[in-house]
Structure formats: C-alpha cells, structure tokens
Amino acid sequence: MTLDTAYIRGTVAAILSILQHSSCPQNIAFHFVASADASLLRATISSSFPHLNFLVYPFYDSSVSRLISTSIRSALDCPLNYARSYLANLLPSCVHRVVYLDSDLVLIDDIAKLAATPLGDNSVLAAPEYCNANFTSYFTSTFWSNTYFSLTFANRKACYFNTGVMVIDLDRWREGDYTTKIEEWMEVQKRMRIYELGSLPPFLLVFAGNIVPVDHRWNQHGLGGDNFIGLCRDLHHGPVSLLHWSGKGKPWARLDANRPCPLDALWEPYDLLQPKTPFALDS
C-alpha cells in the first residue's frame, strides 16, 4: 500500500479491516511506499498498530514526475499514485509476491485467500476483470485512429481491470522488466495524449487480456462514485469480500461533511483516525 497524508485515514482503516478478518494476522507483512519524508506517517501506523509487522520504502517524486500527464482528476496525477508500477524496484528481491491494495477500501474476508490466487505458469498479475465495461472508452480517439496503436490488443481479449486490487508476482515482473514497458507508454502519452485516466491506462496497455481473473467479490469498486461528482452508488450483484471506494467520493470526507452515502456506514467501523481522536499528523 502507499502512505500519504491525504489518505492515511483510509490506510489505517484498511489495515484494521485486514487484521480483523485474517485467520493468521501475525503472518501478514505490510510494505508501505511513501513520499521521502514519512516519519509522521510511520509514527501514525506504529501508534495505531503497535505490533504490526511493516516496512516503509521511500518513493521520490522525481522517479516518475517527468512522465506524468494531467488527467481528468488532479488526485490521479499525484506521483505516489504511480508507485504501484515501481514495486518490483522498491521492494527487496526476497519479496516474491505481494497483494497491492489502494487505501480507500476495507476487507471483510481473509486476505490469505486473495494472496493464494494461482498465477499459472506465466501470468504476472491477477485482478478482477470487467469485460462488460466499454474498454474503448479508456483510450482517446487519437489512440484508436492510429493503426499501430490500435493493434496493441489485436491478439488479446482485453478487458478493463481496476489496479487498486492486484496480486503481483514480483519475480516475473522483474524478469519481464514491466516497469520499463509501462514507462514507454507514459512517454507516448506525453507526446500524443492517448488516454485520460492517470496510472490505469498504462497498466491496461501492458497487461489487459494477459492477467488471471479474480472473482469480482474481491473488488466491489466504484463506491466513491464517478471521477467528476462522486455520486452514491450501490453494490454490484453477488458476494462481497472487499469494498472499494474508488472514484471521487471518499467515505471519511463524506462522513466528516455529514453527507455520507448509505454504504459509507460499512467503512465507518474501521475509522480509527476519526477527527475526534487525536493522532500524530495533528501535531
């Protein structure tokens, strides 16, 4: 997971949900990627979870800032939002597999089940796929009208997947140098504007159609509404193991404003850092 001031409240809630629903919480190691000076964030995690097994890795904005293009929502342009593309470089080589999670979610099932997802002989990552989504909408007309680019998905059954919940084989990522592949598409974007949505489209360009699909219960996403207004949304049909407030609206902000959506009540029990409780970042 990433650590930053704007989302620390969500991160702490996610951690609590993971621990509470794990059959063996003592076996979970957390790897946090944070902006260079993370001392207050580290202190917040330590004070909230004194016995948590965790490490914090610094991520320097300069690693990616030159490659970032403006997107439809400013929050998507934060360099730390791109840290998921650099996990194989940031984490030590003894870490072979991780579950990457966004900070605006809670689990209501044992994360060990998700972590054990078989990746087969060749796949680098696994995530819930959504093949009913309009895949073409994730790229601009400039992309689809270019003969070379439009052939990117020619031999793949490419479907949208949300990069906020992924099981990643870091060894295979390193072997395939997938960070460089993602950066190459970001460089194209700087020249030609082939997409609008921050760090997601490069992942789709590199991996869509080549991932292991995970049951949708592991990412009931979109609970934060769309990227413009953040309207309330209902759950998708089917069982639920993970609730994800992707989109503009975040449950802690709506609760503080006394304008919560109905499903925000499912996030609130994990809110250890609600404003009435002092915590490190207030000092």
Side-chain angles (χ1 to χ4, degrees):
M1 303 177 74
T2 57
L3 280 182
D4 74 329
T5 304
Y7 281 78
I8 185 64
R9 197 163 152 193
T11 302
V12 168
I15 296 168
L16 180 60
S17 74
I18 291 167
L19 296 175
Q20 285 192 349
H21 295 283
S22 172
S23 57
C24 294
Q26 67 274 17
N27 289 347
I28 301 175
F30 287 85
H31 299 270
F32 297 111
V33 179
S35 297
D37 183 9
S39 55
L40 288 177
L41 295 165
R42 186 193 303 266
T44 301
I45 298 297
S46 294
S47 61
S48 301
F49 306 100
H51 304 293
L52 193 71
N53 178 15
F54 76 95
L55 291 169
V56 178
Y57 307 85
F59 182 73
Y60 298 95
D61 291 357
S62 58
S63 303
V64 71
S65 55
R66 66 181 177 83
L67 294 171
I68 296 176
S69 303
T70 56
S71 61
I72 62 171
R73 183 159 61 90
S74 59
L76 300 177
D77 301 335
C78 172
L80 198 59
N81 199 42
Y82 290 80
R84 72 197 80 194
S85 302
Y86 295 87
L87 296 178
N89 301 337
L90 294 168
L91 274 60
S93 58
C94 60
V95 181
H96 305 292
R97 174 189 282 224
V98 292
V99 176
Y100 174 83
L101 298 174
D102 275 352
S103 297
D104 52 357
L105 53 77
V106 294
L107 276 82
I108 53 174
D109 203 343
D110 192 341
I111 195 171
K113 299 176 185 176
L114 178 61
T117 302
L119 288 174
D121 295 330
N122 301 304
S123 295
V124 177
L125 66 84
E129 283 186 318
Y130 303 90
C131 294
N132 291 329
N134 181 7
F135 189 79
T136 59
S137 68
Y138 291 96
F139 303 96
T140 64
S141 57
T142 300
F143 175 86
W144 292 114
S145 62
N146 182 293
T147 304
Y148 177 77
F149 293 154
S150 62
L151 292 174
T152 302
F153 303 107
N155 297 315
R156 301 191 245 164
K157 185 185 176 184
C159 297
Y160 161 73
F161 65 93
N162 180 280
T163 55
V165 178
M166 297 184 289
V167 181
I168 306 174
D169 186 312
L170 294 181
D171 290 335
R172 292 177 183 175
W173 184 293
R174 295 175 183 117
E175 290 167 6
D177 194 15
Y178 285 97
T179 295
T180 297
K181 291 178 171 64
I182 287 173
E183 287 185 335
E184 288 172 350
W185 280 113
M186 293 175 69
E187 289 170 353
V188 172
Q189 164 75 352
K190 293 289 284 188
R191 298 194 306 268
M192 299 185 64
R193 197 70 181 178
I194 57 174
Y195 55 78
E196 304 286 354
L197 265 176
S199 63
L200 168 65
F203 262 84
L204 297 179
L205 287 160
V206 173
F207 292 110
N210 290 327
I211 72 170
V212 172
V214 175
D215 193 287
H216 289 179
R217 69 187 302 150
W218 289 104
N219 195 353
Q220 285 272 344
H221 69 289
L223 303 184
D226 59 74
N227 280 306
F228 297 100
I229 302 174
L231 296 175
C232 296
R233 286 184 176 171
D234 293 326
L235 289 175
H236 309 295
H237 295 296
V240 182
S241 292
L242 184 151
L243 298 156
H244 186 188
W245 279 262
S246 58
K248 184 177 182 179
K250 302 305 174 188
W252 55 89
R254 295 193 295 219
L255 287 162
D256 289 353
N258 290 317
R259 293 197 301 270
C261 289
L263 291 176
D264 295 347
L266 299 177
W267 181 88
E268 191 172 15
Y270 303 100
D271 186 15
L272 292 183
L273 300 185
Q274 52 190 294
K276 64 177 179 289
T277 303
F279 61 101
L281 291 182
D282 286 336
S283 59

